[in-house]
Amino acid sequence: MSGRFARLLGLASVLLATVACQTGPAQAAPVWEPPVQTATARHDVVTWGASADQMGQGTADRGYRLVVHTSAAGGDLRVRLSNAFGDRPLTLDSVYAGLQSQGAALKAGSNKRLTFDGARTVTVPAGATAWSDPLPGSLPAGSNLVVSLHSPDAAGPATGHWMAMQTSYATQGDHTAEESAANWTETTGSWWYLDSVSVRPSNPATGAVVALGDSITDGWASTTDQNRRWPDYLARRLQKAGTEVKGVADEGISGNQVLADGAGQAALHRLDRDVLSQPGVRTVFLFEGVNDIKAHTGVTAADLIAGYQEIVRRAHAAGKCVVASTVGPFEGWSEWDPAGEAVRQEVNQYIRTSGEFDGTADFDRILRSPYDQARMLPFLDGGDHIHPNDKGMAAMADSVDLASLDCNR
């Protein structure tokens, strides 16, 4: 079996229902709901995730108001704070979660304090993460969740996700409890210290898929603040589909490689932390390799295939399925050459025909031009010949066989 029943817990009450702030116009919200009693045990499922990486230096008495877009609906929200790349303990003395109204402003009454083992303050050791206690209430699918946090003494290397493709906010001092935007006058394009959000869905069979990738998965060339990365489009498809997979975590890092550290730790080195540790994960969606190929480091198809095989072996050992996509075209990018193209073609042939994976997708076929199969179709090209635009991101997500994600091992 997959990890769908790995976190069976006791009964939970659903108290608060709020607006689902989705891409496009805001929609009418249900108001306060009474507690709902259920006799079905439930488990946590990741509803948002972003890969941890080393940022700049932490700043004392700094606050961050981080906007993230969720996928699966559920109650008892929890957030995971990360000090994975810190060289000293990280103290956060105030953490809140609310719903975005506009910009840094929150919906009235939505901002709630999070606790950690019952305490308002948490100290995360260097290299570690910490989950909050469950927050009673219901979070709709596709919400713009806002996590506000403050550290009184942050210093040394900070942990976060630098290319968020989402505007968040910063301030000096502790203004986390405020729903007004008045003191949140600075902006940031990164997520700081936050790397995962989970919920408890009402259906105990609900699972999640984690997209393990590079800058294409991270959303580069998609429209900022519009949630148009291909995993976002996939999440919206899943919400409307009759599938048990509803959660989507985007674990892409710009420039990331399968084999070598550089732009973030290699996929092989971050697999456990960024992917397999996420709650409720049923399937890993693997879409990486172009950066290994174009780096001109001598990586061969056999090298890359061996990396894929290790990811599959470790995911299977953890009870997860693996769906892999072919590597997209990139002729016209400055690092393209015929030798790299030959490696890409060999790798893609392996992905399509080896039977190594529990399922496959063919993003190469979706993105490439019918007139030059080494190049991206101009209609889908974000302009640099390697990153798809919004239309390309949507086309990729639309091509995924949703049944392949709803997998058991």
Side-chain angles (χ1 to χ4, degrees):
M1 294 293 292
S2 71
R4 68 170 72 182
F5 297 115
R7 293 184 59 86
L8 291 175
L9 298 174
L11 301 179
S13 297
V14 179
L15 301 176
L16 173 65
T18 48
V19 174
C21 296
Q22 302 183 13
T23 299
Q27 301 186 9
V31 292
W32 292 83
E33 292 180 351
V36 177
Q37 300 298 323
T38 174
T40 304
R42 302 188 300 187
H43 71 296
D44 288 355
V45 170
V46 62
T47 188
W48 174 87
S51 303
D53 199 3
Q54 183 169 323
M55 305 278 282
Q57 296 293 297
T59 304
D61 196 25
R62 188 74 165 159
Y64 294 100
R65 176 154 282 181
L66 308 170
V67 181
V68 304
H69 194 67
T70 66
S71 54
D76 288 358
L77 172 146
R78 302 174 74 204
V79 306
R80 188 170 76 177
L81 305 177
S82 180
N83 192 24
F85 293 90
D87 62 2
R88 67 201 72 191
L90 169 70
T91 296
L92 297 162
D93 59 2
S94 187
V95 184
Y96 278 74
L99 289 172
Q100 186 181 36
S101 173
Q102 185 175 8
L106 306 183
K107 293 185 179 298
S110 71
N111 202 30
K112 306 295 182 183
R113 183 185 289 277
L114 293 169
T115 60
F116 301 80
D117 291 331
R120 294 184 173 188
T121 296
V122 61
T123 297
V124 188
T129 60
W131 282 100
S132 71
D133 301 324
L135 181 68
S138 178
L139 183 70
S143 296
N144 274 4
L145 178 72
V146 180
V147 177
S148 303
L149 51 86
H150 174 264
S151 175
D153 57 2
T159 298
H161 188 89
W162 76 269
M163 195 183 81
M165 305 300 295
Q166 172 68 54
T167 302
S168 290
Y169 303 89
T171 187
Q172 283 299 113
D174 183 5
H175 302 283
T176 53
E178 300 168 8
E179 294 181 333
S180 166
N183 288 304
W184 297 91
T185 56
E186 302 175 50
T187 60
T188 175
S190 301
W191 290 306
W192 296 78
Y193 303 116
L194 176 70
D195 79 341
S196 186
V197 178
S198 73
V199 293
R200 291 182 184 173
S202 57
N203 179 357
T206 300
V209 57
V210 178
L212 176 61
D214 49 42
S215 57
I216 300 176
T217 296
D218 213 8
W220 183 250
S222 68
T223 303
T224 298
D225 293 334
Q226 295 300 307
N227 302 303
R228 293 178 181 174
R229 313 162 192 86
W230 74 260
D232 295 317
Y233 284 107
L234 179 63
R236 289 190 277 274
R237 284 190 67 202
L238 289 168
Q239 295 312 312
K240 299 175 182 177
T243 173
E244 292 176 347
V245 174
K246 299 296 183 184
V248 178
D250 185 338
E251 302 294 331
I253 295 180
S254 179
N256 200 229
Q257 297 182 40
V258 174
L259 304 175
D261 292 343
Q265 291 180 323
L268 288 172
H269 298 156
R270 63 189 183 92
L271 179 66
D272 291 346
R273 181 190 64 241
D274 288 353
V275 180
L276 301 182
S277 71
Q278 298 289 358
V281 174
R282 186 170 304 171
T283 302
V284 180
F285 193 108
L286 175 61
F287 178 45
E288 281 217 53
V290 70
N291 290 317
D292 298 78
I293 293 170
K294 70 182 182 57
H296 302 301
T297 59
V299 168
T300 65
D303 295 331
L304 198 47
I305 288 167
Y308 292 158
Q309 290 172 332
E310 182 178 339
I311 290 172
V312 171
R313 177 185 59 77
R314 288 164 56 189
H316 284 177
K320 319 301 181 187
C321 296
V322 180
V323 173
S325 175
T326 51
V327 179
F330 68 101
E331 185 178 358
W333 177 264
S334 61
E335 294 169 294
W336 183 91
D337 63 14
E341 179 64 16
V343 172
R344 187 180 76 90
Q345 293 293 346
E346 186 176 346
V347 166
N348 283 351
Q349 181 67 9
Y350 169 83
I351 292 171
R352 293 184 181 108
T353 64
S354 69
E356 182 82 22
F357 307 100
D358 301 287
T360 59
D362 201 343
F363 289 168
D364 171 50
R365 181 180 62 81
I366 294 301
L367 295 173
R368 71 193 184 201
S369 168
Y371 308 106
D372 184 349
Q373 296 192 2
R375 284 184 176 270
M376 194 181 303
L377 188 68
F379 179 71
L380 304 178
D381 193 339
D384 61 9
H385 312 302
I386 193 170
H387 297 99
N389 57 21
D390 291 351
K391 294 182 179 66
M393 295 285 184
M396 293 160 64
D398 286 346
S399 74
V400 175
D401 176 10
L402 299 186
S404 71
L405 307 179
D406 205 2
C407 179
N408 293 316
R409 288 201 67 84

